[in-house]
Amino acid sequence: MVKVVITMVIVLSTLTRGSVCSVSETMWHTAHSSFKSLADDAHSYLISLLGKNSVDTLLKTVKDAIKVTSHAAAQALNVVASYITDFLGAAGIDAKLPVKYFTPGGVVFVVQWALLAVLGYWLLSLAVCLIAGVVRRTLFLLKVIVAVAVFGLIVSDGGASAETTAMRLAGLVLACVLLGIGPSYFRGDANAHLEKKIKLLEKRLREVERKRKEE
């Protein structure tokens, strides 16, 4: 483990600023080309599904809607910024906003990056969940394999007495329960099972009381 860490430190120390920039540019171009290819594939699929005229009309409608929305949002932001500046100026505070004027192109640019960030976060969270699920399943299978192997060793030990074998099996069962190997009742679902039983009993009691009142 120490050798691996030292090797990683040496590799990172050999990277220069130019190499890091070139790597980031390469990653950006790769991501851009991937998104472009996905967009082209989606466009081709829509054309084959709806027809070229329908797709062109839909794209024109979407572009017009984005244009109108971006203009309205830019005007609203400019109005809000002017009100904030006037209010702070009346209060004696010399406020200078980092952006003097909001443009529709700037609004569209910010929204695009925000959507890209949300999409990236969603994809990253999905990948993390998938990896965590695979790791969890793998660890569970490893625990099962180890438990089966230990059980085989215990049973195959012919020189041990019956009491020793029973103690070993009891220890194995306890270890399986603690490690979460076995039925769901032993893996933390006991409370849910008990709550389900209680709700069923309460429902039956209410039915019995309702029948008594009807009689």
Side-chain angles (χ1 to χ4, degrees), residues 90-105:
I93 301 174
D94 187 11
K96 293 183 179 180
L97 297 178
V99 180
K100 295 182 179 179
Y101 183 74
F102 294 94
T103 60

Side-chain angles (χ1 to χ4, degrees), residues 60-161:
K60 187 177 183 300
T61 304
V62 172
K63 288 180 180 179
D64 293 338
I66 292 174
K67 185 177 180 180
V68 172
T69 306
S70 62
H71 277 282
Q75 291 178 0
L77 290 173
N78 289 322
V79 172
V80 172
S82 63
Y83 278 135
I84 292 174
T85 304
D86 294 339
F87 178 76
L88 294 176
I93 301 174
D94 187 11
K96 293 183 179 180
L97 297 178
V99 180
K100 295 182 179 179
Y101 183 74
F102 294 94
T103 60
V107 172
V108 173
F109 179 78
V110 172
V111 172
Q112 285 178 349
W113 277 102
L115 291 176
L116 183 61
V118 172
L119 179 62
Y121 174 77
W122 181 75
L123 292 175
L124 182 62
S125 62
L126 180 62
V128 170
C129 290
L130 290 176
I131 293 173
V134 172
V135 171
R136 192 182 301 112
R137 295 293 182 183
T138 304
L139 291 176
F140 180 76
L141 288 176
L142 288 176
K143 290 189 289 185
V144 171
I145 292 172
V146 171
V148 172
V150 173
F151 177 77
L153 291 175
I154 293 173
V155 174
S156 62
D157 189 5
S161 61

Side-chain angles (χ1 to χ4, degrees), residues 2-215:
V2 177
K3 293 182 179 180
V4 174
V5 174
I6 294 173
T7 306
M8 292 178 64
V9 171
I10 294 173
V11 172
L12 291 175
S13 62
T14 56
L15 291 176
T16 60
R17 186 176 180 180
S19 62
V20 173
C21 293
S22 62
V23 170
S24 61
E25 290 179 358
T26 303
M27 292 177 64
W28 167 252
H29 287 303
T30 303
H32 185 267
S33 61
S34 300
F35 280 113
K36 187 176 180 181
S37 62
L38 287 175
D40 294 337
D41 293 338
H43 185 263
S44 301
Y45 177 74
L46 288 176
I47 288 177
S48 63
L49 185 64
L50 302 176
K52 190 174 186 305
N53 294 327
S54 300
V55 173
D56 292 339
T57 304
L58 180 62
L59 290 176
K60 187 177 183 300
T61 304
V62 172
K63 288 180 180 179
D64 293 338
I66 292 174
K67 185 177 180 180
V68 172
T69 306
S70 62
H71 277 282
Q75 291 178 0
L77 290 173
N78 289 322
V79 172
V80 172
S82 63
Y83 278 135
I84 292 174
T85 304
D86 294 339
F87 178 76
L88 294 176
I93 301 174
D94 187 11
K96 293 183 179 180
L97 297 178
V99 180
K100 295 182 179 179
Y101 183 74
F102 294 94
T103 60
V107 172
V108 173
F109 179 78
V110 172
V111 172
Q112 285 178 349
W113 277 102
L115 291 176
L116 183 61
V118 172
L119 179 62
Y121 174 77
W122 181 75
L123 292 175
L124 182 62
S125 62
L126 180 62
V128 170
C129 290
L130 290 176
I131 293 173
V134 172
V135 171
R136 192 182 301 112
R137 295 293 182 183
T138 304
L139 291 176
F140 180 76
L141 288 176
L142 288 176
K143 290 189 289 185
V144 171
I145 292 172
V146 171
V148 172
V150 173
F151 177 77
L153 291 175
I154 293 173
V155 174
S156 62
D157 189 5
S161 61
E163 291 80 5
T164 304
T165 304
M167 291 296 293
R168 290 175 180 177
L169 291 175
L172 178 61
V173 171
L174 180 60
C176 291
V177 171
L178 293 177
L179 293 176
I181 304 174
S184 60
Y185 184 81
F186 297 103
R187 294 202 299 264
D189 294 340
N191 293 329
H193 183 72
L194 183 59
E195 290 179 359
K196 186 177 180 180
K197 291 290 185 181
I198 292 173
K199 290 181 179 179
L200 183 60
L201 289 174
E202 290 178 351
K203 183 178 180 181
R204 290 179 179 177
L205 287 174
R206 285 196 297 267
E207 291 179 355
V208 171
E209 291 178 357
R210 182 172 56 81
K211 290 181 179 179
R212 287 181 180 178
K213 290 179 180 180
E214 290 178 355
E215 292 176 357

